[in-house]
Amino acid sequence: MALGKDVIELQDRISYQFSDVSYLDAALTHSSYTNEMRSRGIKAVSNERLEFLGDAVLQLVISEHLYSSYSNYREGALTKMRQQLVCEKTLARIASSIDLGSYVNLGNGEEITECRSRPKILADALEALIAAVYLDCLDNESDAYKFVVLSLFEGEIFLASQQKTDFKSQLQQLAEQDGAALLEYKVILEEGPEHNKRFTVAAYINNNEVGRGSGSTKKLAETQAAKMALKLFGVVI
């Protein structure tokens, strides 16, 4: 078996001190360590159940934050932000930033194969850690777990908010609110030599032009047309 580093340092890294450190111990125990201990007749709880709970806690805290902080974002944009924030790649990146892998208790086989840096193990451990904080807070009737989550995700939330908005998807959602509304894009002008084309595209809803845009590709021109249409409908961009 391969024990992780002292958890006192980890508590400092996440700015949270556990009242019941057994939650933290469980969050940092990989199933490979549990299986190895079981073979020796010793019981050890793995972080798999905590991982399950942590996923739900994370989804809720991130959803609440996005809902309250980005009131001008439509449901589709909020969903995309949340998906970007709770995906394995983002979780693993955050886990790496606090060196979470070095605190995980692993079986010898996993240690040999350098699993401490494997994205899935890091992501799972972070979800388990979030659940551990949540349960400890629950025992103390505290909502400090929200602060822990948002502090860990602060940089990633900012990056997600800076991503280019999918104007075409937003316009499609807006059109669908009107039931049978049909959204179409039509090239109305194509100019320039073959190696340097310039396209002008108009967006139509039920054959009514609602926006126009230009670009070096049809896709870029459609995006600009959708952006203009959204402004016409009063959508804050």
Side-chain angles (χ1 to χ4, degrees):
M1 60 184 180
L3 293 172
K5 291 167 60 177
D6 193 307
V7 296
I8 293 177
E9 185 181 41
L10 178 59
Q11 292 180 90
D12 291 336
R13 287 177 182 270
I14 65 174
S15 299
Y16 184 82
Q17 300 298 314
F18 280 82
S19 297
D20 185 349
V21 77
S22 67
Y23 288 130
L24 180 55
D25 289 338
L28 298 174
T29 301
H30 188 258
S31 58
S32 62
Y33 179 89
T34 302
N35 293 335
E36 194 168 300
M37 295 299 287
R38 186 185 299 119
S39 69
R40 301 180 182 184
I42 302 173
K43 184 178 180 180
V45 179
S46 79
N47 63 8
E48 290 177 339
R49 282 172 53 82
L50 285 174
E51 174 200 336
F52 165 78
L53 177 60
D55 175 67
V57 173
L58 177 61
Q59 293 269 357
L60 178 59
V61 173
I62 293 296
S63 295
E64 283 184 344
H65 177 74
L66 296 180
Y67 180 82
S68 61
S69 300
Y70 299 91
S71 57
N72 60 322
Y73 280 39
R74 299 184 63 79
E75 182 268 344
L78 292 174
T79 298
K80 285 190 175 183
M81 282 184 69
R82 184 179 62 195
Q83 289 174 340
Q84 180 180 335
L85 290 167
V86 302
C87 72
E88 181 181 290
K89 184 177 180 180
T90 299
L91 294 178
R93 187 161 55 239
I94 292 173
S96 293
S97 73
I98 59 173
D99 196 25
L100 185 57
S102 67
Y103 297 94
V104 177
N105 300 322
L106 295 169
N108 283 327
E110 300 296 319
E111 177 73 11
I112 292 171
T113 56
E114 300 182 349
C115 283
R116 292 188 186 279
S117 58
R118 185 179 295 172
K120 177 167 174 49
I121 285 182
L122 289 173
D124 291 349
L126 182 61
E127 288 181 333
L129 176 61
I130 288 170
V133 173
Y134 170 75
L135 291 173
D136 196 64
C137 285
L138 208 61
D139 288 347
N140 293 283
E141 298 182 349
S142 166
D143 63 355
Y145 66 92
K146 295 181 180 180
F147 170 79
V148 173
V149 171
L150 295 177
S151 294
L152 288 170
F153 280 77
E154 182 179 13
E156 295 291 341
I157 291 172
F158 175 77
L159 289 175
S161 70
Q162 299 303 302
Q163 297 296 316
K164 290 184 178 179
T165 305
D166 188 346
F167 298 121
K168 290 179 66 177
S169 294
Q170 279 191 274
L171 184 58
Q172 182 67 50
Q173 291 174 6
L174 191 64
E176 288 173 355
Q177 287 181 0
D178 196 26
L182 176 64
L183 171 62
E184 295 179 294
Y185 295 93
K186 298 178 182 178
V187 177
I188 58 176
L189 181 63
E190 184 177 328
E191 53 189 345
E194 198 63 38
H195 66 280
N196 190 25
K197 286 282 188 181
R198 187 79 181 170
F199 299 91
T200 299
V201 170
Y204 296 86
I205 294 181
N206 290 342
N207 294 319
N208 296 310
E209 184 177 332
V210 292
R212 187 175 293 199
S214 298
S216 57
T217 66
K218 292 179 183 178
K219 185 175 181 179
L220 286 174
E222 289 174 356
T223 298
Q224 290 302 312
K227 181 178 180 180
M228 293 304 297
L230 289 169
K231 289 183 176 179
L232 175 68
F233 288 113
V235 176
V236 179
I237 297 174

